[in-house]
Amino acid sequence: MRRLRLLRPWEWIGYLAAVIVFAIACVYLSQWQFDRREQAVEQIDKVQTNWSAETTDIDSLVPQIDAFDDALEYRSVTLTGVYEQQRQVLVRNRPLNGSPGFEVLVPLRLDDGRVFFVDRGWVASASDGGTPDVPDAPTGEVTVVVRLKPAQPAVDRGAPEGQIASFELTQLVADGEAEATFTGAYGQRQSETPAAAENPQVIPQPSLSEGSHLSYALQWLAFAVLAFVGFGYAIRATLRRIEDTGGSEIEAQRRRRVGRSRADADTEVEDAILDRTH
């Protein structure tokens, strides 16, 4: 009972509550990392599956001009038409391999009159921060193989003339062409025939690395376990300290009792001697 009293139970209950809260937070963060890993694995599977799929025509994969199935991202299609170079725009804030730059978006008017936006590739930002030089698209009829990408929502950011902040395609639809312009998806150029003398850099295949999510998830679980291990170790160390301190106190009390007994005995002897002398 003495050891339990010295442990101060209410104080240790508070410590235990803090450990439990910390462990719950660790488990939550671990699950978050597991979820992120699952999303990364799903994305990798989609890239691998769609990247190697057979190239087909646009209508088989994008039957509606204003909608797109994200599960078909990175599938390749063949398009034939004429680039409308005068309507080219640069999509800003598009880094590649750590370098700032733009992606070059040009409308391609298909043989049937519909318009499909082609991302011809990436160009680095100008050294002075201005608009970079961009190679022109080939003139005349061209056959382009592109990989499909979903259009993006609008963002609350402005852009200089000739540039846009995201692949939000409805802003690029010309007057009277809403019914004939694809706004649900665009395509990243893979090849052109005939090819231009100079082209922007082709956007590479996305990374197939799932990142460090699994190791982070396991680390958070380890932290949760270690919190309880540390709590148990602290209790054990405290009990040992109490045990060592308690033994010393008992010995000191015994010595004090012996000292008092001897003093009392001496006092009694002195009293007896005094009584006999009187």
Side-chain angles (χ1 to χ4, degrees):
M1 290 298 295
R2 176 178 175 79
R3 292 171 67 187
L4 292 178
R5 286 198 303 272
L6 292 176
L7 267 177
R8 297 189 295 273
W10 288 111
E11 179 178 333
W12 285 96
I13 289 175
Y15 292 154
L16 177 60
V19 169
I20 292 174
V21 171
F22 175 77
I24 291 174
C26 289
V27 171
Y28 173 81
L29 291 171
S30 175
Q31 186 59 52
W32 176 61
Q33 289 292 346
F34 277 124
D35 291 342
R36 293 191 64 188
R37 177 181 180 270
E38 182 177 352
Q39 294 170 4
V41 170
E42 290 177 355
Q43 179 69 8
I44 291 171
D45 290 342
K46 180 170 71 172
V47 172
Q48 290 178 321
T49 300
N50 292 349
W51 204 270
S52 59
E54 182 180 358
T55 301
T56 185
D57 63 279
I58 185 68
D59 292 315
S60 63
L61 298 181
V62 192
Q64 299 178 337
I65 62 174
D66 59 349
F68 180 65
D69 182 359
D70 287 358
L72 300 175
E73 186 178 11
Y74 304 115
R75 285 289 305 271
S76 60
V77 299
T78 300
L79 306 168
T80 300
V82 178
Y83 281 119
E84 297 187 344
Q85 178 67 43
Q86 71 280 7
R87 294 173 59 187
Q88 171 184 289
V89 294
L90 300 181
V91 187
R92 57 190 288 110
N93 296 325
R94 300 290 151 172
L96 182 63
N97 297 327
S99 299
F102 301 82
E103 292 182 35
V104 183
L105 194 63
V106 187
L108 180 72
R109 187 169 295 277
L110 307 181
D111 291 343
D112 60 10
R114 293 179 298 172
V115 175
F116 187 88
F117 290 97
V118 176
D119 179 357
R120 298 197 63 246
W122 181 86
V123 292
S125 299
S127 58
D128 61 0
T131 302
D133 294 329
V134 180
D136 288 338
T139 59
E141 188 174 82
V142 62
T143 298
V144 189
V145 177
V146 301
R147 294 198 180 275
L148 297 173
K149 293 282 293 180
Q152 297 176 344
V155 295
D156 189 18
R157 292 198 304 268
E161 185 178 356
Q163 300 180 15
I164 56 175
S166 74
F167 286 95
E168 199 281 304
L169 303 179
T170 58
Q171 62 185 310
L172 303 176
V173 176
D175 293 339
E177 290 190 347
E179 300 300 323
T181 303
F182 288 87
T183 56
Y186 67 98
Q188 293 179 339
R189 175 185 64 87
Q190 297 298 295
S191 65
E192 289 173 340
T193 306
E198 186 180 358
N199 282 309
Q201 181 176 338
V202 171
I203 305 298
Q205 177 180 326
S207 171
L208 299 181
S209 170
E210 66 182 50
S212 302
H213 303 303
L214 179 59
S215 62
Y216 289 154
L218 296 177
Q219 285 176 18
W220 282 118
L221 289 178
F223 291 154
V225 173
L226 288 174
F228 286 101
V229 172
F231 179 76
Y233 177 81
I235 290 181
R236 184 178 180 182
T238 301
L239 289 175
R240 285 181 175 177
R241 188 166 58 252
I242 290 173
E243 184 174 316
D244 294 342
T245 303
S248 300
E249 289 181 355
I250 292 173
E251 179 63 21
Q253 291 175 0
R254 186 188 68 81
R255 291 176 178 177
R256 285 195 294 272
R257 285 198 300 271
V258 170
R260 284 197 298 270
S261 298
R262 290 177 178 175
D264 292 343
D266 292 341
T267 300
E268 290 177 0
V269 170
E270 292 176 356
D271 291 342
I273 294 174
L274 291 174
D275 289 341
R276 285 198 297 271
T277 58
H278 287 81

